[in-house]
Amino acid sequence: MEWREFAQQMASLARELLAQDSVDGTLARITRAATELVEGCDESGILVLSGRKVRSLAPTDQLVVDSDRLQERLGEGPCFDAARTKESVYRIADFTREQPCWPSFAPEAHALGVGSMMGFLLYTEEEELGSLDLYSHKPGVFTENSETAGWLLASHAAVALASARSHAQLEQAVSTRHLIGEAMGILMGSRHLTEDQAFDVLRRYSQDNNIKLREVARLISERGSV
């Protein structure tokens, strides 16, 4: 691998990732970049693990989804181990060989068409694990250079993903604040309430009916009343 060229490609990718206008767009660019930049990578996806439930984000092929669902069904696999151990990198060189750590997952993954696999931890939260997973149809193609390239990509991806998620959360917060303000204005005008009284109506309705405050505000804005 020509590392100077790789560094230039990574610099270009970093700008592309930060230019994406949504979290989904950022995720899709990350997984596509894995197949373009990491030697031996045929397919890629981002797995989110919540407890024992799995979500597949931005998969480049059905193989990724099938592998994620297999891990969920069996309750074993490299991503489950990463959740328990918080390992930042894993590499499985050859699925044609016995894998004692995953006696059920390995042969079934090979039957799906997985020859070798690598994964990189993107983030950990209190209830979720996110990892970038790279697949090859052939065994033995992921080398130490591939692992280094994947790790560098994942490091850039983690920063870009954190930025995209923060931006999305900020946009949602601003939107929610605007929606609540609109609903309060409707209540204040229709019921002759003060600002505090209008907000208290929203809050109590939300609590009594176990509905999020944003949803209550949306209903009022659409219907004109609770």
Side-chain angles (χ1 to χ4, degrees):
M1 175 175 288
E2 176 50 60
W3 289 109
R4 181 178 179 84
E5 180 183 351
F6 181 80
Q8 293 172 339
Q9 292 173 320
M10 289 299 297
S12 177
L13 174 64
R15 291 190 290 271
E16 285 186 53
L17 289 175
L18 293 176
Q20 298 298 317
D21 58 5
S22 68
V23 174
D24 287 344
T26 302
L27 295 175
R29 187 65 190 97
I30 289 169
T31 55
R32 191 169 77 252
T35 64
E36 296 168 351
L37 299 177
V38 180
E39 187 176 355
C41 178
D42 294 318
E43 308 298 346
S44 178
I46 292 171
L47 181 147
V48 176
L49 181 63
S50 304
R52 296 176 66 88
K53 292 294 183 181
V54 165
R55 285 182 291 143
S56 302
L57 305 181
T60 61
D61 187 79
Q62 184 63 34
L63 170 67
V64 178
V65 178
D66 292 342
S67 173
D68 291 346
R69 289 176 178 171
L70 177 62
Q71 291 188 73
E72 180 182 57
R73 177 169 62 82
L74 297 175
E76 72 171 53
C79 295
F80 279 77
D81 279 9
R84 288 190 288 265
T85 64
K86 300 297 187 291
E87 287 290 333
S88 58
V89 180
Y90 70 82
R91 174 159 53 108
I92 306 168
D94 190 348
F95 272 90
T96 64
R97 297 180 179 179
E98 184 179 356
Q99 301 291 334
C101 293
W102 311 293
S104 299
F105 170 74
E108 292 199 41
H110 181 243
L112 291 175
V114 180
S116 47
M117 184 177 176
M118 289 195 301
F120 305 88
L121 198 63
L122 286 180
Y123 65 88
T124 55
E125 296 180 350
E126 186 174 342
E127 297 179 353
E128 285 191 340
L129 161 90
S131 65
L132 173 65
D133 298 318
L134 280 56
Y135 294 83
S136 175
H137 298 300
K138 299 177 182 179
V141 296
F142 287 138
T143 64
E144 289 188 6
N145 281 346
S146 299
E147 185 175 312
T148 301
W151 179 79
L152 290 170
L153 170 62
S155 298
H156 277 71
V159 173
L161 181 56
S163 176
R165 294 173 82 189
S166 295
H167 184 68
Q169 289 167 356
L170 179 61
E171 284 189 333
Q172 185 178 31
V174 171
S175 175
T176 297
R177 182 175 179 179
H178 176 76
L179 195 59
I180 290 174
E182 183 177 320
M184 288 172 59
I186 292 172
L187 292 176
M188 290 166 67
S190 63
R191 299 192 178 190
H192 307 291
L193 302 176
T194 66
E195 186 174 313
D196 288 343
Q197 289 172 331
F199 182 76
D200 193 51
V201 169
L202 290 175
R203 180 184 58 79
R204 284 188 287 108
Y205 192 90
S206 172
Q207 293 175 345
D208 293 347
N209 295 277
N210 195 27
I211 301 174
K212 290 184 178 180
L213 192 63
R214 174 185 172 85
E215 182 64 15
V216 176
R218 186 185 66 79
L219 291 172
I220 291 175
S221 296
E222 291 178 353
R223 301 175 182 176
S225 64
V226 289

